Amino acid sequence: MSILSIATSGLSAASLRVSVAASNIANVNTTGPLPASGGSGTSAGAGIAPTFPAAYVPLRVDQVSQSSGSTPGGTVATVSAVSPSYIAQSDPSAPFANEDGLVAAPNVDLAGEFVELATAKYSFIANAKVIQAYAETTESLLDITT
C-alpha cells in the first residue's frame, strides 16, 4: 500500500469520526418511549393509541489497522451502535412516558463526543501533513532527475 493511500485511509476515518460525533451531539435530546418488556403492545387498544418513534440510537467508530494483503497499511473504520443504546430518564411531561414518567434517552457521553472531535481533528491534520510531505518529496525527486 502506498503512503498516499495510507494517509487517505486515515483522512476517511477522521471524516467518519466527525460525522458520527456530530450526529450523536445533534441527537442527544432525541428521546423516545422505553422499549416494552413483556409484550404490552399486543393489547386490544394498541391500534388506536398513537405510536412514537424510538429514541435515537447513538453510534461509535471502531478503527483498526488494515492488515490484509501482502503490503498491509492504513486503517479501516466501521460504525456500530453503542450498547446499551439508551438510558432511562425522567420526563413525565413526554406523551410517551411510561407510568413512572420515564423515557428512553440516548446513551451519549457529550464529553466523549468532544474528545472524538478533537481526535478526528488532529488525525486529519497529521494525515494531511503526510500527504503534503509526500507531495513535496515527490516534487523534489522530480527536480533532481531533470
Side-chain angles (χ1 to χ4, degrees):
M1 189 172 249
S2 74
I3 292 172
L4 194 57
S5 61
I6 291 171
T8 309
S9 72
L11 290 173
S12 295
S15 176
L16 187 60
R17 280 187 187 282
V18 169
S19 295
V20 166
S23 178
N24 287 345
I25 291 168
N27 289 293
V28 71
N29 292 324
T30 308
T31 60
L34 282 171
S37 58
S40 62
T42 59
S43 64
I48 299 170
T51 58
F52 297 97
Y56 171 74
V57 177
L59 304 172
R60 72 173 190 211
V61 175
D62 300 313
Q63 187 173 345
V64 294
S65 171
Q66 187 173 352
S67 59
S68 63
S70 60
T71 56
T75 188
V76 176
T78 57
V79 177
S80 60
V82 171
S83 180
S85 64
Y86 71 92
I87 55 174
Q89 180 179 8
S90 177
D91 187 2
S93 65
F96 47 81
N98 68 4
E99 58 276 353
D100 297 325
L102 298 175
V103 297
N107 188 14
V108 174
D109 174 23
L110 279 177
E113 295 304 324
F114 283 103
V115 168
E116 287 293 320
L117 288 174
T119 301
K121 173 185 174 182
Y122 291 113
S123 175
F124 198 88
I125 290 169
N127 284 292
K129 290 286 186 185
V130 169
I131 292 172
Q132 181 182 11
Y134 176 77
E136 290 171 359
T137 304
T138 303
E139 184 179 331
S140 295
L141 288 173
L142 291 174
D143 288 342
I144 292 172
T145 59
T146 56

